[in-house]
Amino acid sequence: MNKLSNESISLCQPDKTKSCGACCGLYNYLWGDRKSLKEKLLIRTELYRSLKGDEEGSVENYSRIIKAKEPREKLYEVIYNCEFLGFVDDENKKVGCLLHPALNRGKDLRYHSFYGQTLCRDHFCPSYQHLTGQEKELVVLIIDDWYLYGQIITDIDIVKSFFKEVSDMAGETVSPDLVRFSPKLKDIGFRFFSLKVRWPFKDDRKRRFGKYFFEGWEYRLDKIDYQSIGSQPSRYHQIFLSLSSSFRNSWELREAERQVEKFINDFSREYIKLTGKR
Ligand code: SF4
Ligand code: SF4
């Protein structure tokens, strides 16, 4: 929702190519595919822009119309799906708050929201604290897509696990300065993180988001049952949890490991090649 000072990167609105709206409920829908979310955000954005003339009445009117129009199919009941999340740029690449002062001639209209002005303005998700400055910068460098970006920047496990594996192979912490000037590294990283939205071993039987699954007002950490397929826990267990995986047999597990390992190897080899040129 806002920018923090101790790491100069804003994870919420890092640059012109993407942004995040996860804590405003962006992914908290049963039908959370890109097309459905984009349609929803476009309708909100267009309506908000069209109603802007009479400010106070407009916001209330907007809220009433959107709430009546949108189905209430939430993934997790406890999280509020804010109707004021829309696109905040002309190219519809950045999701964000329609009530933010930047969109309302300097007036902060977030007091109209469910969470209220103070919480909306001052909230920072755990990624601000738990990702290192380098990890934040790497994700921002690698992902230029709002739909994927919000899912990855809020998934501390997948970010840490991937860069730890790569750093172990490279023999040093992955440097954003090397990745910044390497289209190839960015491409490998982007394709790895894109597994989040096209993972063939994703468990669609439960209401899942990453490693969590939801039952009404409850949420739990999911498990991967390695024993039932006669296997040991995978070295990529954290990554598999983040990808909401389930495996029907040991062949599927091995194939999943092969796919993840290939990205890690490809990224590491290219990185090592570039470190030799420094
Ligand atoms: S989930 Fe985190 S990065 Fe995303 S909008 Fe909220 S505070 Fe910002
Ligand atoms: S009003 Fe608050 S919860 Fe709603 S989109 Fe804006 S920042 Fe997010």
Side-chain angles (χ1 to χ4, degrees):
M1 298 180 186
N2 219 316
K3 186 169 175 170
L4 197 71
S5 53
N6 72 341
E7 303 279 358
S8 55
I9 301 174
S10 162
L11 298 185
C12 311
Q13 300 284 334
D15 59 35
K16 288 181 179 166
T17 65
K18 75 278 188 170
S19 58
C20 176
C23 59
C24 308
L26 177 59
Y27 305 110
N28 192 30
Y29 292 94
L30 274 191
W31 313 112
D33 58 285
R34 180 191 296 272
K35 187 168 171 284
S36 312
L37 291 187
K38 188 168 182 185
E39 268 169 23
K40 210 184 289 282
L41 294 175
L42 281 174
I43 289 171
R44 292 177 186 174
T45 307
E46 278 165 25
L47 181 64
Y48 190 82
R49 285 176 187 156
S50 75
L51 290 178
K52 244 175 151 183
D54 162 28
E55 193 176 89
E56 291 296 322
S58 286
V59 173
E60 281 151 23
N61 203 18
Y62 165 92
S63 178
R64 191 178 44 75
I65 295 171
I66 293 294
K67 280 179 176 167
K69 203 180 180 82
E70 290 186 358
R72 297 169 196 272
E73 22 51 309
K74 285 163 91 175
L75 198 57
Y76 183 35
E77 282 304 325
V78 176
I79 295 175
Y80 185 69
N81 291 358
C82 184
E83 70 275 24
F84 295 112
L85 187 69
F87 285 115
V88 294
D89 64 326
D90 292 339
E91 293 172 305
N92 303 324
K93 286 182 171 177
K94 286 166 67 77
V95 292
C97 180
L98 298 172
L99 300 179
H100 192 277
L103 275 80
N104 295 283
R105 289 166 303 217
K107 285 191 185 163
D108 187 348
L109 301 181
R110 288 176 285 189
Y111 59 85
H112 285 285
S113 73
F114 173 81
Y115 289 122
Q117 194 178 48
T118 310
L119 196 58
C120 285
R121 191 189 55 218
D122 298 340
H123 171 76
F124 297 103
C125 67
S127 300
Y128 273 95
Q129 261 211 315
H130 297 296
L131 292 179
T132 65
Q134 280 166 322
E135 288 163 344
K136 292 172 189 169
E137 205 176 340
L138 286 164
V139 174
V140 170
L141 280 171
I142 287 171
I143 304 177
D144 284 343
D145 166 30
W146 64 269
Y147 182 68
L148 182 62
Y149 174 73
Q151 296 187 55
I152 298 300
I153 200 64
T154 54
D155 190 333
I156 294 166
D157 290 339
I158 200 167
V159 173
K160 286 201 175 291
S161 303
F162 180 70
F163 290 118
K164 179 174 184 320
E165 292 284 344
V166 172
S167 297
D168 286 351
M169 284 189 79
E172 66 173 46
T173 308
V174 177
S175 159
D177 289 338
L178 266 189
V179 175
R180 179 174 293 109
F181 299 109
S182 168
K184 191 164 178 189
L185 279 180
K186 285 195 216 174
D187 177 62
I188 300 166
F190 183 82
R191 285 187 292 113
F192 168 75
F193 287 121
S194 296
L195 291 177
K196 190 87 169 170
V197 294
R198 53 171 192 77
W199 182 232
F201 307 104
K202 186 170 190 289
D203 183 359
D204 284 323
R205 291 166 302 170
K206 297 180 195 157
R207 293 178 172 214
R208 271 189 75 157
F209 188 68
K211 64 184 177 183
Y212 302 104
F213 75 97
F214 308 101
E215 284 175 347
W217 293 78
E218 303 283 319
Y219 79 91
R220 299 205 181 91
L221 278 182
D222 214 347
K223 293 182 180 143
I224 296 174
D225 188 358
Y226 295 103
Q227 217 174 9
S228 71
I229 56 170
S231 301
Q232 296 294 316
S234 172
R235 65 179 291 203
Y236 301 129
H237 176 67
Q238 285 300 340
I239 292 175
F240 291 158
L241 269 186
S242 287
L243 296 174
S244 305
S245 314
S246 96
F247 306 107
R248 285 174 297 186
N249 51 51
S250 60
W251 180 88
E252 285 194 352
L253 174 62
R254 281 199 304 277
E255 174 58 19
E257 288 178 328
R258 190 195 63 77
Q259 290 190 24
V260 167
E261 192 164 43
K262 179 157 176 23
F263 285 113
I264 290 167
N265 287 343
D266 288 353
F267 194 99
S268 309
R269 284 195 195 111
E270 183 62 19
Y271 186 88
I272 291 165
K273 208 159 79 183
L274 292 176
T275 54
K277 292 181 187 164
R278 273 198 296 215

